[in-house]
Amino acid sequence: MLVIGESINSSRKSVRTAVEERDAEFIQNLAKKQVDGGAGMLDINVGTRVSNEPEDMEWLVNIVQEVVDLPLCIDSPNPVALERGLKLHKNGRPLVNSTTAEESRLKSVLPIVKEYKCMVVGLTMTEAGIPHSAEDRCKAAGKIIEAATKEGIAIEDIYIDPLVMPVSTDVKCGLLVIETLKSVKSSFPGIKTVMGLSNISFGLPNRKLINRTFLPMVIGYLDSAIMDAGDIKIMATLKACATILGEDDYCMEYITAYREGRLDV
Amino acid sequence: MLVIGESINSSRKSVRTAVEERDAEFIQNLAKKQVDGGAGMLDINVGTRVSNEPEDMEWLVNIVQEVVDLPLCIDSPNPVALERGLKLHKNGRPLVNSTTAEESRLKSVLPIVKEYKCMVVGLTMTEAGIPHSAEDRCKAAGKIIEAATKEGIAIEDIYIDPLVMPVSTDVKCGLLVIETLKSVKSSFPGIKTVMGLSNISFGLPNRKLINRTFLPMVIGYLDSAIMDAGDIKIMATLKACATILGEDDYCMEYITAYREGRLDV
């Protein structure tokens, strides 16, 4: 599973301050910590600084690429910020995060995805908002997939996000995500999936426990997750998942991780 | 989910010694620890002391019931030991563990289940051994279910065990169990499932990490598990599972457990 490091997000106060003060070292340390933890891609999100988003995105992409050679997930609802980030992107294929099933978003984002030959995240929401059923979220996914493939984007390059909401605000949120993932995976062969894992635990104590419990519940339907690769316990859980799912010949990766002290000891 | 405390099993050296020496206090402390941790039933297994099994079972059932008022899972392949345990059973309905799909086992165990009005575990194996595919394990389950319901046992009283083997001996074991559970649940509406969770991690370091990662992967298809209720981390994982699955209104059980220090802190 592709781990997309989640730490560089201006909804975190320390990141917002670092972006405002152009504190490159702070951001670069966050980026390096995600890489050291095992991230395969880094999410870059400055959505809370709306007025400066394109400039902030440029700055972040540049300074992160000074210290990290992973591809980036350029995370913004703003096509201008997306394009400014993509123009500077250097390492591998970037992931554009995101479009929705809204006509206006599809029309503005998909041509950019096509032009920069990148991959794209499709959020399962429409002009009417976020659907309340797995069936309707799956329909929204279908609309995105139809529009993207029509644009010439390969189905393997589309990552559907079932939209994880906090279980503290609605106890049905977790089940809804699981049902949506199952439904999307069975309805659209070849499609990939992604989600912002830690949204599930917002508002609860010991959020990391909820996050690392949610991961094994959905991993069978998940190709990637935006998550904290700096959290040694969830990364240990991920290693255990791979071993249980038969992806670790002779359990050697698990045993090696144990010897290196990388499992939750 | 019903947690069946696993600690009273003579395959553990300390338990075997305690049984041999009739050390009631040692066994009773194990039993109390499982109850304190949140077990809803206790497994009693003295299968490694074959020659003394019926007497050992009687002794164990008696001394455990002196300190615990939960129902017991009488765990033995030996019908004599099963019946001796059941005769003494006092609290609620016992679970007989187990029959297989073998004719001889079905014939000897099902009448006992019927007579004592208990529930029964059905291991998905046949005269030919343990099947190598989920499809064949599901067929073995079908044979058990057919024979048991013919005997007048309600489907809700049958717990199918997909037979968890160590992933260290065959990397496909985990996936096979997941597929078997899915298949059994979809093929036989109303059927219950159970498994010996910690078998998955035999032979690996940090077994508890594997066990508590496996639980959320299968919980959607699991009605009960034989597991260590004395392991605070796996019990915290179980609490988090219930919260994510929408079984915890307003997340109050999770928040209460956190306040009481019962979550993995």
Side-chain angles (χ1 to χ4, degrees):
Chain A
M1 198 196 71
L2 174 65
V3 174
I4 306 173
E6 75 174 356
S7 68
I8 303 172
N9 188 317
S10 64
S11 67
R12 295 172 64 182
K13 196 172 175 302
S14 59
V15 173
R16 190 188 168 102
T17 305
V19 172
E20 282 166 0
E21 296 174 357
R22 293 295 191 251
D23 182 350
E25 196 184 344
F26 181 88
I27 300 290
Q28 289 173 334
N29 283 337
L30 287 181
K32 285 188 277 190
K33 196 177 169 197
Q34 294 295 309
V35 177
D36 292 345
M41 182 179 265
L42 295 187
D43 192 66
I44 310 285
N45 182 319
V46 277
T48 56
R49 285 187 26 107
V50 174
S51 59
N52 300 293
E53 204 181 348
E55 291 71 32
D56 288 350
M57 184 61 86
E58 279 190 340
W59 179 75
L60 281 170
V61 168
N62 272 327
I63 62 150
V64 167
Q65 291 185 143
E66 281 174 14
V67 293
V68 161
D69 55 10
L70 293 180
L72 304 178
C73 176
I74 309 292
D75 190 349
S76 170
N78 177 348
V80 178
L82 288 177
E83 202 154 5
R84 297 277 276 274
L86 292 172
K87 272 189 180 145
L88 297 168
H89 192 275
K90 291 195 298 195
N91 306 305
R93 293 181 71 201
L95 177 59
V96 163
N97 189 3
S98 55
T99 183
T100 65
E102 294 162 285
E103 288 295 344
S104 60
R105 288 282 287 275
L106 290 167
K107 273 189 188 143
S108 61
V109 173
L110 293 181
I112 299 175
V113 174
K114 185 78 192 294
E115 185 183 344
Y116 291 88
K117 297 185 175 56
C118 37
M119 303 174 289
V120 63
V121 173
L123 309 181
T124 54
M125 61 181 288
T126 68
E127 282 81 359
I130 300 175
H132 296 293
S133 73
E135 192 188 346
D136 287 345
R137 289 192 192 184
C138 192
K139 273 186 199 158
K143 199 174 161 197
I144 296 167
I145 294 164
E146 193 187 341
T149 49
K150 210 167 164 184
E151 188 80 24
I153 297 164
I155 192 151
E156 298 80 16
D157 288 338
I158 307 168
Y159 286 76
I160 295 298
D161 183 332
L163 287 170
V164 179
M165 311 298 276
V167 77
S168 60
T169 60
D170 178 354
V171 293
K172 295 208 177 79
C173 288
L175 272 177
L176 188 50
V177 163
I178 295 169
E179 289 308 314
T180 303
L181 286 172
K182 282 184 188 178
S183 177
V184 165
K185 275 289 186 183
S186 67
S187 303
F188 308 106
I191 196 69
K192 292 208 171 91
T193 54
V194 65
M195 64 189 214
L197 192 74
S198 58
N199 294 347
I200 192 76
S201 61
F202 184 80
L204 287 177
N206 202 345
R207 290 187 63 178
K208 288 181 175 183
L209 170 62
I210 296 277
N211 299 344
R212 71 175 175 267
T213 303
F214 195 32
L215 180 60
M217 295 172 96
V218 291
I219 198 163
Y221 312 101
L222 208 58
D223 297 282
S224 62
I226 301 177
M227 55 187 265
D228 182 7
D231 174 355
I232 187 172
K233 289 189 177 180
I234 202 168
M235 294 307 284
T237 297
L238 187 61
K239 191 71 68 185
C241 283
T243 301
I244 294 166
L245 290 174
E247 297 164 2
D248 179 8
D249 282 345
Y250 305 103
C251 305
M252 280 316 294
E253 287 185 36
Y254 183 83
I255 292 167
T256 303
Y258 174 76
R259 288 181 182 152
E260 292 173 359
R262 287 186 287 121
L263 300 186
D264 173 23
V265 283
Chain B
M1 197 195 71
L2 174 65
V3 174
I4 306 173
E6 74 174 356
S7 67
I8 304 172
N9 188 319
S10 64
S11 68
R12 295 172 64 182
K13 194 169 175 301
S14 59
V15 173
R16 189 186 170 104
T17 305
V19 173
E20 282 166 0
E21 297 174 355
R22 293 296 191 251
D23 182 350
E25 196 184 343
F26 181 87
I27 301 290
Q28 289 173 333
N29 282 338
L30 286 182
K32 284 189 276 189
K33 197 177 169 198
Q34 294 294 310
V35 178
D36 292 346
M41 182 179 264
L42 295 188
D43 191 67
I44 310 284
N45 181 320
V46 277
T48 57
R49 283 183 31 102
V50 174
S51 58
N52 300 293
E53 205 182 348
E55 292 70 33
D56 288 351
M57 183 62 86
E58 279 191 340
W59 179 73
L60 281 169
V61 168
N62 272 327
I63 63 150
V64 167
Q65 289 185 146
E66 281 175 14
V67 293
V68 160
D69 56 8
L70 294 180
L72 305 178
C73 176
I74 309 291
D75 189 349
S76 170
N78 177 349
V80 178
L82 288 177
E83 202 154 4
R84 297 277 275 274
L86 291 172
K87 272 189 180 146
L88 296 168
H89 191 276
K90 291 195 299 193
N91 307 304
R93 293 180 72 202
L95 177 59
V96 164
N97 189 3
S98 55
T99 183
T100 65
E102 293 162 286
E103 288 295 345
S104 60
R105 289 281 290 275
L106 290 167
K107 273 190 188 145
S108 61
V109 174
L110 294 181
I112 300 176
V113 174
K114 185 77 194 294
E115 185 183 343
Y116 290 88
K117 297 185 174 58
C118 38
M119 304 175 288
V120 63
V121 173
L123 310 181
T124 53
M125 60 182 288
T126 69
E127 282 81 1
I130 301 175
H132 296 294
S133 72
E135 192 187 347
D136 287 345
R137 289 193 192 184
C138 192
K139 272 187 199 158
K143 200 175 161 198
I144 297 166
I145 295 164
E146 193 187 341
T149 50
K150 211 167 163 183
E151 188 81 24
I153 298 164
I155 192 151
E156 299 79 18
D157 289 338
I158 307 167
Y159 286 75
I160 295 297
D161 182 332
L163 287 172
V164 179
M165 311 298 277
V167 78
S168 60
T169 59
D170 177 353
V171 294
K172 296 208 177 78
C173 288
L175 272 176
L176 187 51
V177 163
I178 295 169
E179 288 309 314
T180 302
L181 286 172
K182 282 184 188 176
S183 177
V184 165
K185 275 289 188 184
S186 67
S187 304
F188 308 106
I191 195 70
K192 293 208 170 90
T193 55
V194 65
M195 63 190 215
L197 192 73
S198 58
N199 294 347
I200 192 76
S201 61
F202 184 81
L204 287 177
N206 203 345
R207 290 188 62 177
K208 288 182 176 181
L209 169 62
I210 296 277
N211 298 345
R212 69 175 177 267
T213 302
F214 195 31
L215 180 60
M217 294 172 96
V218 291
I219 198 164
Y221 312 100
L222 208 57
D223 296 283
S224 62
I226 301 177
M227 54 187 266
D228 182 7
D231 174 355
I232 187 171
K233 289 189 178 180
I234 202 167
M235 294 306 284
T237 297
L238 187 61
K239 193 69 69 185
C241 283
T243 301
I244 293 166
L245 289 174
E247 296 164 4
D248 179 8
D249 281 345
Y250 305 102
C251 306
M252 280 316 293
E253 287 185 35
Y254 182 84
I255 293 167
T256 303
Y258 174 76
R259 287 182 182 152
E260 292 173 358
R262 288 185 286 121
L263 300 186
D264 173 25
V265 283

